[in-house]
Amino acid sequence: MKRRLAGFLLAATLALSGAGEALAKTILFVGNSFTYGHGSAVRRYHPERVTDLNGEGTGGVPALFRTFAEQTAQDWQVSLETAGGQDLAFHLDKRAARIDRAWDVVVLQGFSTLDPASPGNPARHVAAALRLAEMMARRNPAVSVRLVSTWPRADLAWRPGSPWSGKPLAALADTVAAANRQAGEGSSRFGPAVPVGAAWLRAIEAGLADPNPYDGVAYGQIDLWTWDQYHASAEGYYLEALVAFGAITGVDPRSLGPRERAADDLGMNPAVAARLQQIAAETLGMAGVATPTLRKR
């Protein structure tokens, strides 16, 4: 009798455990070095918290997303598939077999200038985004596909020889955002774009971040770019992750607070972490939204 009762309790426990896992939402991040965190400690940040479909041991922005989720009682199974220096067409042509599955949310981050061979031209980016969205929808008709509108590059804005030289810093970010709007108009599969570039510009306008690292970073400000002034610093990737988290989950990033775990792990100034959370919330239009209470741990 006791043995049968023990077996029943074990079966019930396993059933409940399986039900909990079934309720977890799945999210896939597809992108490049802007997704995996090149040039900062974010690249190898807690890879065990996510599933790297390439098996490269990458944590990146997806691991930050997962860490935020854990702190706000959000149950997400997070996966990523990334390749440095590649655009969306690469993932469609070379990695489709790895990503062609049923996902609840798919986040697509394209090349920083849209087309490596024709900077600023949206055609290749838009076509690949549309095909990826359709592929994901065949697996899960309810999938939400989100395009990331990336940040401006200081190296292209402040140094001569690029299509964005001498133009306002916002020009490249505006170019990418416009391409994502074009893709969104071409398919109902897309949810609102993730406005990372707009958040960077807001941080600069607010005086938190320095707009031109080539003339030195002003005292009291941070550099959102890393040493190559192309990729992001830890603070820049942190802001990217905050915007993605708020945009996708609807949770106000300010609820994480100045002692947020990932910021602390990365050695970030708590005051800077809080201001970046504020910038993300303002960019997402959450400034007037009440912040939820964090689950105690």
Side-chain angles (χ1 to χ4, degrees), residues 7-277:
F8 173 78
L9 291 174
L10 177 59
T13 300
L14 290 174
L16 288 173
S17 175
E21 290 176 0
L23 292 175
K25 293 182 179 179
T26 59
I27 183 169
L28 170 68
F29 288 82
V30 175
N32 49 43
S33 54
F34 279 21
T35 304
Y36 66 61
H38 177 83
S40 80
V42 171
R43 182 171 187 175
R44 302 300 179 192
Y45 182 76
H46 284 292
E48 76 282 356
R49 292 181 183 167
V50 296
T51 300
D52 181 356
L53 299 183
N54 296 330
E56 296 170 339
T58 299
V61 170
L64 295 180
F65 180 100
R66 174 64 186 273
T67 303
F68 299 161
E70 289 176 349
Q71 294 172 90
T72 54
Q74 298 284 306
D75 195 4
W76 288 89
Q77 294 178 355
V78 182
S79 299
L80 65 135
E81 190 281 296
T82 57
Q86 301 296 337
D87 62 2
L88 293 181
F90 170 87
H91 299 282
L92 179 66
D93 296 340
K94 305 296 185 182
R95 301 284 175 82
R98 299 183 190 180
I99 62 178
D100 188 7
R101 308 179 190 178
W103 308 97
D104 294 315
V105 179
V106 176
V107 181
L108 302 177
Q109 185 170 68
F111 192 71
S112 61
T113 63
L114 299 177
D115 186 338
S118 181
N121 186 338
R124 179 178 165 95
H125 173 82
V126 170
L130 290 169
R131 289 180 60 194
L132 282 166
E134 289 304 312
M135 182 180 78
M136 298 304 178
R138 284 194 293 271
R139 291 288 189 174
N140 176 16
V143 67
S144 176
V145 182
R146 311 296 290 271
L147 288 161
V148 179
S149 295
T150 48
W151 56 82
R153 286 174 48 178
D155 63 324
L156 296 183
W158 300 113
R159 300 176 69 185
S162 91
W164 293 274
S165 298
K167 294 182 178 180
L169 184 61
L172 175 56
D174 290 344
T175 298
V176 175
N180 286 341
R181 285 194 297 272
Q182 183 179 339
E185 292 166 357
S187 173
S188 61
R189 308 297 185 189
F190 294 104
V194 180
V196 176
W200 275 49
L201 294 167
R202 191 178 190 95
I204 291 169
E205 291 166 359
L208 172 61
D210 191 286
N212 183 2
Y214 287 102
D215 62 6
V217 177
Y219 177 78
Q221 293 186 325
I222 61 172
D223 189 352
L224 289 173
W225 295 280
T226 190
W227 52 267
D228 61 5
Q229 315 308 341
Y230 169 176
H231 295 86
S233 63
E235 289 82 1
Y237 290 120
Y238 187 77
L239 181 55
E240 177 185 10
L242 289 170
V243 175
F245 180 70
I248 291 162
T249 68
V251 175
D252 190 328
R254 295 173 299 173
S255 67
L256 293 162
R259 296 294 178 180
E260 188 279 317
R261 187 191 310 160
D264 184 61
D265 290 343
L266 295 169
M268 200 175 298
N269 182 335
V272 170
R275 288 198 67 191
L276 290 171
Q277 294 164 16

